[in-house]
Amino acid sequence: MLWKVPILFVLSVLIGAENNENPQLDWWQTSVIYQIYPRSFKDSNTDGIGDLKGIEEQASYFKDTGIGAVWLSPINKSPMIDMGYDISDFTAIDPIFGTMEDFVSLQKKLDSLGIKLILDFVPNHSSDQHEWFKKSVKKVNPYTNYYVWRDPKGWLNETAPAPPNNWVSLFGGSAWKYNEERKQFYLHQFGEAQPDLNYRSKELVEEMKNVLKFWLDKGVHGIRTDSVPYLVEDDKFLDEPPYNKTSAVRLIGKKDYDALSHIYTKDQPESLKILRQFREVLDSYTQKGGPTRLLLTEAYTDIKHTIESYGTQESPIAQIPFNFYLLTELNDSSNAKAFNDTIHLWLDNMPKGRWPNWVIGNHDNSRVSTRFEPSAVDGINMLVQLLPGTAITYQGEEIGMEDTKVRQDQSSDIESPSRDPERTPFQWSSSPHAGFSTISGNTWLPVNPNYYTLNLEAQKKDPKSHYNIYKKLVKLRSNTVFQHGDINTYVVSERVFAFKRSIPEEEMCIIILNLNNEGEHVNLNTCMPDLPGKLNVYIASKNSEYNIGDQINTNDAGFYMRPKSALVLQGILKKETSSPQSTGAASSISQFSLVSVLLLSGILHHFL
């Protein structure tokens, strides 16, 4: 198909107050949240494993980069069967990461730098080594019902009890494990060593709220709540029906798990009620004074159930339900329309008065450089940092780290396929082990062999490196146009996507991504006719032929973009009497409204 004229998908998001006032945003709305995988950030004691002291030693890095908040993946005491997501003590630090004194010292260091601290909270399950579980096995009250126990459905033979139903674990196999001592099955939606907690027990709910209070008392500013779709199960324990793609959403690449529609084990309404109680705990601390305590939720599910984690105006839940759709829906083969549709998926469905967020990488998914390709890193970072809302960065994405090939004999992950490739140590320098550790042997996972050239130390010296471009983007987020400006999105051509952030009759910035592995001639005049004749280059990707300060033609002559290159352009917005922006500003700073979708019907009919 020849792409002759761009199809315009114009989304205007209004950010601001009545009478063009711009109220103060909260810390979590302006901050970049930086995810730290503690095992792989920095090793301070030469055991080859990252730790809390290592994070503290590098705390100035966050300040220098412009990071406003750091989020730590689990650091709780654990047998480490699932890399810390099997917790044996919710209020203790695992010795491999250090001590509680180390945690307090880190918290104080971050606080002195003005950086907020967010912790992982894993409420769905514990380790089978937790004292609660051991006492529950023995039916010691009040722990008897802290976990989901069920009698056998029958007996397969004299020694083999039948599971209560056909529920399946996300890690494969039955979700039920028989306990010989208690003579019952316990539910584990994840690994066998991760028994599900029972949120129909009021005592358990209070116990978990006390865990939150423990960490909030330690000075934590936010809680990232893990695996929220699985908190509560249907209490009838019926068999789940076979998977039917017309009525269920298939998200996990596990053959036996995907064979069923998880209508009884996932996204139950009762889970939202538990989350509301968690939010109430955090709000009670906010009301005592100091910064807002933030609730983030993790849910790999459909848009309807993800959005539900916002709660309502009267009964709010998460300020940030993680938006994983950039991560799960886009890759190197995605065209401009796919990028546009994925952005609209969130903004069009987000409830009135809520704040968006964007996640492009984490410890469970292949890195940006690998999912797309290394030359696309800057453009993807432009997308995440300059769309309206909170940006979340996984450690290493700012320098374009790539997945590492990890042999089976080097692997540590319980899950298959392994998530180890995206969890390898941070590449600080070209010194041994990339400056991550001074161990004489091997680090817990191998460092990527490309660390000799791909490392932070080298990138700091290169003005057009991924890192220095990332720093510029983070700084740019503080501009009014990115905190309060409208957004319009454009499918410029099949492989060129653009969006505009603007304040009417004031500044505007246009972000353009060439998604093509070939060069593209771009004519912005066809989709943005009211632009000034030239725009200034604010930021250019490392692989761009343009530099900061260059000027770009917006007339019919257009301009050329190299393969996978990206630009941030700046100019003064002309008065647009018929534009979507002329409808006025929303009454709430975090209020987003879809003003118009302009589809030229004749053109659309021609191309579709």
Side-chain angles (χ1 to χ4, degrees), residues 167-395:
W167 293 357
V168 176
S169 163
L170 278 89
F171 287 177
S174 174
W176 296 98
K177 174 74 172 178
Y178 190 69
N179 181 271
E180 287 287 350
E181 182 174 352
R182 181 154 164 157
K183 304 299 182 186
Q184 284 185 307
F185 283 90
Y186 66 83
L187 178 68
H188 62 90
Q189 292 216 59
F190 291 83
E192 288 186 358
Q194 296 164 286
D196 274 41
L197 293 163
N198 177 22
Y199 281 89
R200 299 189 189 282
S201 163
K202 293 181 179 179
E203 292 83 3
L204 181 277
V205 173
E206 290 304 311
E207 198 89 62
M208 298 305 283
K209 288 161 68 173
N210 287 335
V211 169
L212 291 177
K213 293 173 184 178
F214 175 88
W215 292 110
L216 291 166
D217 287 339
K218 295 289 184 185
V220 169
H221 301 102
I223 297 294
R224 179 266 193 185
T225 310
D226 182 73
S227 301
V228 299
Y230 312 100
L231 285 180
V232 181
E233 303 75 35
D234 185 85
D235 60 1
K236 296 183 181 64
F237 295 94
L238 301 174
D239 281 356
E240 292 192 314
Y243 172 78
N244 179 348
K245 66 181 179 181
T246 63
S247 64
V249 175
R250 191 169 187 166
L251 296 174
I252 307 296
K254 296 287 185 293
K255 184 177 180 181
D256 49 357
Y257 187 83
D258 276 352
L260 300 177
S261 292
H262 302 288
I263 60 174
Y264 300 131
T265 57
K266 188 178 180 185
D267 297 320
Q268 301 300 302
E270 292 88 348
S271 295
L272 297 176
K273 295 178 182 179
I274 300 301
L275 292 173
R276 282 194 183 96
Q277 294 188 57
F278 293 162
R279 172 65 184 267
E280 289 169 359
V281 172
L282 271 67
D283 284 350
S284 70
Y285 277 75
T286 302
Q287 292 160 9
K288 294 177 185 177
T292 300
R293 301 332 190 262
L294 178 67
L295 181 63
L296 311 93
T297 53
E298 182 217 43
Y300 289 95
T301 187
D302 58 55
I303 188 68
K304 173 183 178 292
H305 289 105
T306 302
I307 290 293
E308 284 179 348
S309 289
Y310 274 119
T312 63
Q313 292 281 18
E314 298 76 22
S315 185
I317 302 178
Q319 290 101 329
I320 297 180
F322 273 165
N323 171 9
F324 289 132
Y325 295 101
L326 294 182
L327 189 158
T328 60
E329 301 301 317
L330 301 178
N331 55 47
D332 196 46
S333 64
S334 301
N335 61 18
K337 185 178 183 301
F339 272 71
N340 186 84
D341 291 348
T342 303
I343 291 167
H344 277 247
L345 179 67
W346 192 267
L347 294 180
D348 291 359
N349 285 284
M350 186 176 61
K352 182 179 179 180
R354 293 298 186 262
W355 188 256
N357 70 92
W358 310 95
V359 181
I360 197 63
N362 62 24
H363 63 291
D364 287 331
N365 291 274
S366 187
R367 287 187 172 277
V368 168
S369 281
T370 303
R371 292 203 318 276
F372 295 88
E373 62 173 61
S375 59
V377 166
D378 297 330
I380 298 299
N381 280 335
M382 289 177 187
L383 187 77
V384 173
Q385 296 296 327
L386 301 182
L387 284 169
T390 299
I392 293 95
T393 295
Y394 176 49
Q395 67 179 42

Side-chain angles (χ1 to χ4, degrees), residues 540-594:
S541 61
K542 180 178 176 63
N543 58 347
S544 174
E545 65 269 48
Y546 302 105
N547 295 300
I548 295 173
D550 287 350
Q551 290 194 320
I552 297 295
N553 289 321
T554 63
N555 55 28
D556 291 341
F559 57 95
Y560 178 80
M561 292 184 71
R562 287 177 182 165
K564 301 294 184 182
S565 65
L567 294 168
V568 180
L569 306 177
Q570 184 267 347
I572 302 301
L573 188 66
K574 290 182 179 180
K575 186 174 182 179
E576 300 175 297
T577 56
S578 61
S579 71
Q581 288 89 341
S582 66
T583 59
S587 60
S588 169
I589 186 164
S590 59
Q591 184 176 41
F592 289 65
S593 61
L594 178 63

